Amino acid sequence: MNKNGIIKVAEGTENVSLKEFDYGETRRFYFPKSLKSISMVGKNIKAEYFDIDGENECFSSMDGVLYSKDRKTLVAVPNFYPCEEFTVPGFVENINKYAFAGSQLKKVTLSEGVRKIESNAFVGAEISEIVLPDSLEVICGDAFNSCYNLAKSNRSFRLPKGIKEIGACAFPFETGRIYVPKNVDKIEVYSEVGESYFVTREKQENIYGIETVWEESAEAEMKIIKVSDKRQITIPKEFFEKLGIGD
């Protein structure tokens, strides 16, 4: 590490695990041309900026954020990135595992074009707001695991209409309700003994105690009728339109 607080990984290094740099202080990282893989998991990492040799064949960087060489995958945003909000660029299609792990960002916006969020992409992140695009098709297991602020701020999630697959434990357990678009036929869950199985549209049930509403319309907008303090039912907007009842 030099006097400016920049950790410069030595040329010739092919594999890096950031947990090797758990200094407990905010740092800037510079990765070499030789780098081929990087592990973002580290208990006390405080990274604010990632940069990489322009001749690296696997990765690229822009504005302190690490991407794949073709920039279709967002590899990692430093967990102490020096702002409160971040917008994923429109050229990104995939959010990598642990890309936002432990992030101190408050709001993340995924631009149209993002199709997949890998497992643990936001694990332990402090975000309280997430904007998901209609282009999103896959949310892998544990994607938003331990995102407690997100669960507190959003007691219900209405997933984009383009969603096709949802992995096990994709959302914080503290979430109150999830609205599942018509495109989704099944959601992966884990049994009490850790075995994977699927909850299907035909055999609906709540997942992990989270109220799961399977929408009958591909359109996101629904109307909620409160039946009692303990129960709610969801009726498609089209039902009201047929009756000539508006807002």
Side-chain angles (χ1 to χ4, degrees):
M1 180 174 64
N2 65 24
K3 62 181 180 180
N4 296 318
I6 299 176
I7 297 175
K8 190 172 183 179
V9 179
E11 181 59 52
T13 303
E14 294 187 354
N15 307 297
V16 168
S17 174
L18 289 193
K19 67 181 180 181
E20 300 173 11
F21 306 99
D22 281 3
Y23 293 124
E25 299 180 18
T26 305
R27 302 296 182 191
R28 298 164 69 93
F29 287 80
Y30 181 85
F31 301 111
K33 173 183 176 181
S34 56
L35 188 69
K36 294 182 178 180
S37 69
I38 181 170
S39 171
M40 305 310 303
V41 182
K43 184 177 180 181
N44 298 312
I45 298 168
K46 291 184 178 181
E48 66 176 11
Y49 197 92
F50 292 142
D51 197 6
I52 194 165
D53 190 298
E55 295 185 12
N56 185 282
E57 296 181 355
C58 300
F59 304 103
S60 62
S61 62
M62 185 178 74
D63 298 329
V65 176
L66 203 61
Y67 299 89
S68 59
K69 190 65 175 181
D70 61 7
R71 295 191 176 181
K72 290 184 178 181
T73 296
L74 190 156
V75 176
V77 175
N79 59 343
F80 274 71
Y81 197 67
C83 64
E84 292 190 350
E85 300 183 6
F86 181 81
T87 298
V88 175
F91 52 73
V92 172
E93 297 180 2
N94 183 59
I95 306 299
N96 198 44
K97 294 180 179 180
Y98 303 103
F100 290 88
S103 176
Q104 301 299 300
L105 293 165
K106 303 304 180 186
K107 177 181 178 180
V108 174
T109 299
L110 306 187
S111 298
E112 285 295 332
V114 174
R115 299 183 179 279
K116 185 177 183 180
I117 300 176
E118 296 279 2
S119 60
N120 290 292
F122 290 85
V123 62
E126 296 292 330
I127 57 172
S128 56
E129 185 176 355
I130 181 80
V131 178
L132 304 177
D134 285 339
S135 60
L136 187 63
E137 298 178 350
V138 180
I139 302 177
C140 294
D142 295 304
F144 295 96
N145 188 16
S146 300
C147 291
Y148 302 116
N149 290 341
L150 187 62
K152 291 178 183 178
S153 302
N154 302 271
R155 292 300 296 160
S156 65
F157 281 90
R158 190 179 297 282
L159 301 178
K161 58 185 179 182
I163 287 288
K164 296 178 180 179
E165 298 179 23
I166 303 173
C169 304
F171 302 95
F173 292 156
E174 295 77 10
T175 303
R177 183 183 297 111
I178 295 175
Y179 293 94
V180 183
K182 187 177 182 180
N183 309 27
V184 179
D185 290 322
K186 59 186 179 181
I187 300 175
E188 182 184 15
V189 298
Y190 289 126
S191 68
E192 293 181 358
V193 294
E195 295 179 347
S196 175
Y197 71 99
F198 289 94
V199 172
T200 65
R201 183 172 291 275
E202 288 72 27
K203 188 179 180 181
Q204 300 178 15
E205 64 180 76
N206 291 338
I207 55 175
Y208 306 114
I210 301 173
E211 182 181 356
T212 308
V213 179
W214 298 74
E215 298 181 332
E216 297 301 325
S217 169
E219 296 299 323
E221 187 176 358
M222 307 283 282
K223 297 203 180 246
I224 307 298
I225 292 183
K226 190 170 183 179
V227 179
S228 70
D229 291 337
K230 295 184 179 180
R231 184 185 174 208
Q232 289 185 330
I233 61 174
T234 303
I235 299 178
K237 176 186 175 185
E238 289 83 349
F239 175 82
F240 292 91
E241 291 178 341
K242 290 178 180 179
L243 295 178
I245 302 174
D247 295 329

